Amino acid sequence: KQLNIPKEEGLDHSLALIQEGYQYITSRRTKFKSDLFETRLLGQKVVCIGGQEGAELFYDNEKFERKGAVPKRIQKSLFGENAIHTLDGEAHEHRKLLFMSLMTEERLELLAELTREEWRLAAAEWAKMEQVVLFDEVQQILCRVACRWAGVPIDAIEVKPLARDFIAMVDAFGAVGPRHQKGRKARKKMEDYFKGLIIEIRHRRIEPIEGTALHKIAWHRDHKEKHLDEHTAAVELLNVLRPIVAITYLVTFGALALFEHNVWKEKLQSGDEESVQMFAQEVRRFYPFAPFLGTKVKNGFEWKGHTFEKGQLVLLDVYGTNHDNRLWEEPYVFNPERFRNWNGGMFDLIPQGGGDEYTGHRCPGEMATIQVMKTSFSFLTNEMIYNVPVGQDLSYSLSRMPTYPESGFIIQGVSIKS
Ligand code: HEM
């Protein structure tokens, strides 16, 4: 017998989604007292799901596919067209191995080293400045790190505008109007630039270092033994560079958390490895970044009495699942202690997606993200002295996607610890 799931009445709620942002799905799940409900977005019927079981369902490859699930507006700003995000089955698994092959222990250690080095160089400059907006500066640090790690020559590149373009691509995903257009323009410019670089490599006019993302992507063969076309290669290179720069959002939130929870600043100053790991995990869980994810029903099926129809769009509540009180005690309290002796599963802490990263769409960059965050937090607490001036607006809006502290987190009086 078909059960009815709660349904949000009305023709279309896209505007409410944009206006309510991170809280759109969560607030309706709470109101309807249900982990799934139906609504209408972008002119179509959509089922929203959340919670651990919802996440597990969302990552079932038998039931869902990504083909046609990512709206063009997201492809043209955030991910790029024909990117790994839109692939399924064998083509996806093969492409995923390319990304996973970048995440060896050795490569991750190099990423940490480069991150430390760039923080050191930047902080030495900040010591000469009256004040620094951390959000603006960290994006430049991570842009250098991303390029160097990926094997992209940066001598000829001006880093500041490049970093801005990466952030513009991320900043566009939850926006309409000029903010969205800015991201699309940035993507177009970047794709042209990196397409040119791929062509140079294939003509052997540039030889990237073996083992780097640039080398691997330029010479990658797909599951049909063919090189990626130049555009797709550029898109996937951007899918390594852009998200590394995007870690800026999490680093800025981490700086805010260090300021607001002095006891954690002290714990990190003790240099204890477990503390910095727990702190990074809680920053990823607590602060908003990816609000929700989308997929499409491959073949109709029944779940909890509801019929999912073939072709229907399904959204997973990422932010809400990271704040689900069945999974997290006092979810709206920032408390890294919850990660002490944590034996979490694949579908509870999902700021970068859930499930298995090899066979599903879970982010391949999770280890890299944690590595960069930990290195940055250790630097902030152990190698730098700074003040956080009062009078700045440290609040962040949950209706803006993506979001970060209003002031960008201003620091003053920077010096390097001797
Ligand atoms: C996928 C978040 C960093 C590369 C994803 C997904 C999320 C995410 C939510 C989608 C999962 C899904 O579709 O089911 C983040 C966040 C990051 C981050 C919050 C930190 C700011 C990285 C890094 C890299 C990376 C550092 C690479 C160096 C990718 C790629 C995918 C992906 C290639 C597509 C995977 C697929 O479709 O199979 N990420 N990510 N991300 N991420 Fe990340």
Side-chain angles (χ1 to χ4, degrees):
K1 166 175 153 291
Q2 161 101 45
L3 296 175
N4 285 330
I5 60 169
K7 193 166 159 184
E8 187 174 33
E9 297 300 338
L11 282 180
D12 197 89
H13 301 280
S14 307
L15 191 63
L17 178 73
I18 286 286
Q19 284 171 347
E20 294 175 41
Y22 290 94
Q23 288 166 310
Y24 172 84
I25 303 182
T26 317
S27 68
R28 279 155 188 77
R29 279 172 56 218
T30 308
K31 182 175 84 182
F32 292 133
K33 295 191 176 57
S34 170
D35 274 339
L36 66 167
F37 69 90
E38 191 183 298
T39 184
R40 289 189 67 86
L41 297 167
L42 301 169
Q44 54 181 311
K45 201 160 92 176
V46 175
V47 174
C48 297
I49 60 177
Q52 193 166 16
E53 281 183 320
E56 195 163 351
L57 176 73
F58 185 88
Y59 283 100
D60 184 337
N61 288 336
E62 296 299 310
K63 297 188 170 66
F64 297 101
E65 63 188 4
R66 294 295 173 99
K67 187 169 165 239
V70 184
K72 275 284 169 201
R73 61 187 310 281
I74 299 290
Q75 293 188 41
K76 285 177 186 281
S77 55
L78 190 64
F79 298 145
E81 289 171 280
N82 302 320
I84 180 169
H85 305 77
T86 64
L87 299 180
D88 296 295
E90 198 189 342
H92 174 258
E93 275 194 34
H94 190 86
R95 184 84 56 89
K96 196 60 174 280
L97 280 175
L98 164 65
F99 285 94
M100 293 310 296
S101 75
L102 303 171
M103 308 299 170
T104 60
E105 210 172 298
E106 210 185 348
R107 300 291 307 166
L108 291 174
E109 187 41 50
L110 175 65
L111 183 65
E113 255 171 55
L114 295 173
T115 305
R116 258 190 304 272
E117 213 174 286
E118 292 296 341
W119 267 96
R120 250 183 231 128
L121 290 170
E125 288 304 309
W126 302 346
K128 299 178 211 154
M129 291 157 68
E130 200 168 305
Q131 68 171 37
V132 164
V133 178
L134 207 65
F135 184 79
D136 296 343
E137 295 292 325
V138 172
Q139 55 185 264
Q140 293 174 52
I141 293 182
L142 295 184
C143 186
R144 286 179 186 284
V145 170
C147 290
R148 289 179 64 193
W149 186 66
V152 171
I154 51 167
D155 292 350
I157 298 178
E158 236 191 299
V159 169
K160 198 168 173 176
L162 185 69
R164 280 216 189 108
D165 279 341
F166 281 127
I167 294 290
M169 283 154 64
V170 179
D171 199 44
F173 82 74
V176 286
R179 214 178 96 204
H180 182 72
Q181 290 308 326
K182 197 171 153 194
R184 283 192 181 212
K185 251 177 77 184
R187 165 162 292 283
K188 176 80 183 59
K189 196 163 85 185
M190 295 276 186
E191 286 182 358
D192 288 348
Y193 179 80
F194 286 106
K195 222 166 99 177
L197 190 61
I198 298 288
I199 293 171
E200 291 293 289
I201 293 167
R202 290 190 178 162
H203 282 98
R204 307 262 178 206
R205 286 195 285 262
I206 293 177
E207 289 280 349
I209 299 170
E210 248 177 77
T212 58
L214 184 57
H215 187 274
K216 289 205 174 195
I217 291 171
W219 298 117
H220 176 73
R221 289 181 187 274
D222 68 11
H223 64 301
K224 293 181 178 156
E225 287 291 315
K226 278 172 55 188
H227 283 142
L228 299 176
D229 67 75
E230 289 137 10
H231 177 261
T232 306
V235 160
E236 298 300 36
L237 181 61
L238 288 173
N239 279 329
V240 172
L241 300 173
R242 184 203 64 255
I244 296 177
V245 181
I247 303 171
T248 298
Y249 290 86
L250 296 171
V251 170
T252 307
F253 277 130
L256 175 64
L258 287 170
F259 174 63
E260 290 184 337
H261 307 275
N262 201 40
V263 48
W264 281 94
K265 194 170 175 180
E266 284 163 15
K267 283 190 193 180
L268 264 58
Q269 275 166 347
S270 75
D272 160 30
E273 170 63 21
E274 196 182 3
S275 291
V276 67
Q277 170 76 19
M278 297 190 307
F279 182 82
Q281 290 291 52
E282 182 67 345
V283 169
R284 292 195 318 132
R285 183 198 72 82
F286 182 80
Y287 291 101
F289 199 14
F292 46 79
L293 292 164
T295 191
K296 225 177 68 180
V297 178
K298 186 154 82 176
N299 295 304
F301 65 92
E302 296 254 326
W303 191 71
K304 293 192 184 271
H306 175 69
T307 306
F308 285 77
E309 293 158 16
K310 182 180 165 71
Q312 191 169 55
L313 198 63
V314 173
L315 295 186
L316 171 67
D317 185 4
V318 169
Y319 181 74
T321 304
N322 287 332
H323 294 82
D324 187 324
N325 61 15
R326 295 164 298 183
L327 297 170
W328 313 102
E329 218 180 295
E330 298 191 283
Y332 291 94
V333 172
F334 182 87
N335 178 20
E337 272 307 325
R338 68 176 86 247
F339 287 105
R340 195 181 292 282
N341 304 321
W342 183 64
N343 47 18
M346 295 205 286
F347 303 103
D348 41 19
L349 179 66
I350 57 165
Q352 293 176 240
D356 179 71
E357 62 268 55
Y358 281 91
T359 55
H361 284 272
R362 187 186 192 119
C363 177
E366 242 174 327
M367 298 293 285
T369 302
I370 294 171
Q371 189 84 315
V372 168
M373 290 172 78
K374 282 167 49 172
T375 308
S376 301
F377 300 147
S378 295
F379 193 89
L380 275 169
T381 48
N382 290 317
E383 298 194 45
M384 248 175 88
I385 297 172
Y386 58 93
N387 307 316
V388 181
V390 292
Q392 59 175 311
D393 186 355
L394 291 175
S395 71
Y396 54 93
S397 161
L398 284 178
S399 55
R400 189 193 198 281
M401 299 181 293
T403 188
Y404 57 95
E406 205 59 45
S407 66
F409 203 81
I410 298 167
I411 57 171
Q412 292 179 339
V414 173
S415 62
I416 311 276
K417 281 189 191 172
S418 47

